Amino acid sequence: MANWNICYIVQSGKLGGAEISMFQLLKHLNKKEYRPIVLAPPKTDVYFRLKQLNIDTIDFTLPKIKSYCPLRAFVNLFLLLFLCIKIRNIIKHNNISLVHTMSNKRSAAFGIVAARLAKVPVIWTIRNLQWLKIVDQILIANANKLIVVSDAVNNLFNRKHEHKDKFVKIYNAVDLSDFQLELNLARPLLKKWGLKQTDFVVAMIG
């Protein structure tokens, strides 16, 4: 039995950068030590792929909470709190030890607030380059750890001295086995460019 139950929260059901990175993490996670539980939108690409990998998945869709209409923004604030309480209950019911929000501010807002309500530590992986001063300062202050995926992201978000110890830079991983050509397909290319089978080749497309 795993010693740690980790709750991952994703917003999108499509396979974008954050979702691919999450699958890389789940693929190499020590399942004897850690049990991942993912909150994901139902009947989406992400959801079905999680099921294929036999990852415990809970149907959960994160609604948009940003609005330029004052009345709608007020209503969304109550919706945020209501859903964060639901996530907190999921955290408590599944004996979650750690919450990890994958990428954008919506998943971060729900994950960080819910984790605080449940009194468990929370990690936010920051990938985008959109700085919303008040919102981001609140999220950063309430997260236990912040993973940034580049120097650019670090320079944008790591602004206050009192939070510097929270930040750690971890570049996105690439599993080279996903890009291995079958030898019979690679032979013509190797011959064309005068390469040996043992040569290390990096291809750039753009």
Side-chain angles (χ1 to χ4, degrees):
M1 181 178 291
N3 296 322
W4 288 71
N5 293 335
I6 304 176
C7 177
Y8 295 91
I9 300 178
V10 294
Q11 173 203 320
S12 177
K14 297 179 181 179
L15 289 171
E19 293 72 35
I20 291 172
S21 292
M22 179 188 70
F23 280 113
Q24 291 288 357
L25 179 60
L26 295 175
K27 179 180 178 180
H28 297 284
L29 200 65
N30 183 349
K31 302 302 192 302
K32 293 181 180 179
E33 188 71 20
Y34 306 103
R35 175 194 171 209
I37 301 172
V38 182
L39 271 61
K43 297 181 180 180
T44 59
D45 292 340
V46 169
Y47 179 85
F48 290 126
R49 187 166 176 180
L50 288 165
K51 289 297 185 182
Q52 288 176 352
L53 296 174
N54 294 318
I55 301 294
D56 291 335
T57 308
I58 297 175
D59 297 2
F60 209 97
T61 301
L62 303 178
K64 291 182 179 180
I65 55 176
K66 183 179 179 181
S67 176
Y68 295 103
C69 171
L71 179 60
R72 184 62 189 173
F74 184 74
V75 172
N76 286 351
L77 185 61
F78 280 94
L79 179 62
L80 170 67
L81 182 58
F82 172 74
L83 292 177
C84 284
I85 291 173
K86 288 188 68 174
I87 298 174
R88 180 206 61 180
N89 293 341
I90 292 172
I91 292 170
K92 291 289 188 181
H93 178 74
N94 290 279
N95 194 27
I96 299 296
S97 306
L98 175 69
V99 173
H100 190 170
T101 70
M102 305 299 294
S103 190
N104 61 37
K105 291 176 180 39
R106 195 189 309 179
S107 62
F110 281 101
I112 291 172
V113 173
R116 282 303 184 190
L117 291 173
K119 298 180 180 179
V120 299
V122 55
I123 298 172
W124 176 21
T125 296
I126 311 174
R127 302 174 186 279
N128 58 40
L129 291 169
Q130 297 175 330
W131 172 255
L132 300 176
K133 184 175 181 181
I134 296 176
V135 173
D136 286 320
Q137 286 178 345
I138 293 172
L139 295 176
I140 289 169
N142 285 279
N144 295 90
K145 206 71 180 177
L146 299 144
I147 299 173
V148 291
V149 300
S150 68
D151 289 327
V153 175
N154 184 63
N155 293 338
L156 182 62
F157 284 84
N158 192 358
R159 297 179 175 219
K160 289 199 171 184
H161 179 73
E162 62 265 31
H163 299 312
K164 287 191 179 297
D165 289 343
K166 291 185 177 184
F167 284 83
V168 58
K169 181 172 60 179
I170 302 176
Y171 296 113
N172 286 329
V174 176
D175 191 338
L176 295 179
S177 63
D178 292 339
F179 301 93
Q180 293 295 323
L181 285 171
E182 293 290 338
L183 187 57
N184 60 337
L185 295 176
R187 278 200 184 97
L189 298 177
L190 297 176
K191 183 178 180 180
K192 178 180 178 180
W193 291 313
L195 298 171
K196 298 176 182 178
Q197 186 178 329
T198 54
D199 288 342
F200 186 84
V201 180
V202 178
M204 296 184 65
I205 303 174

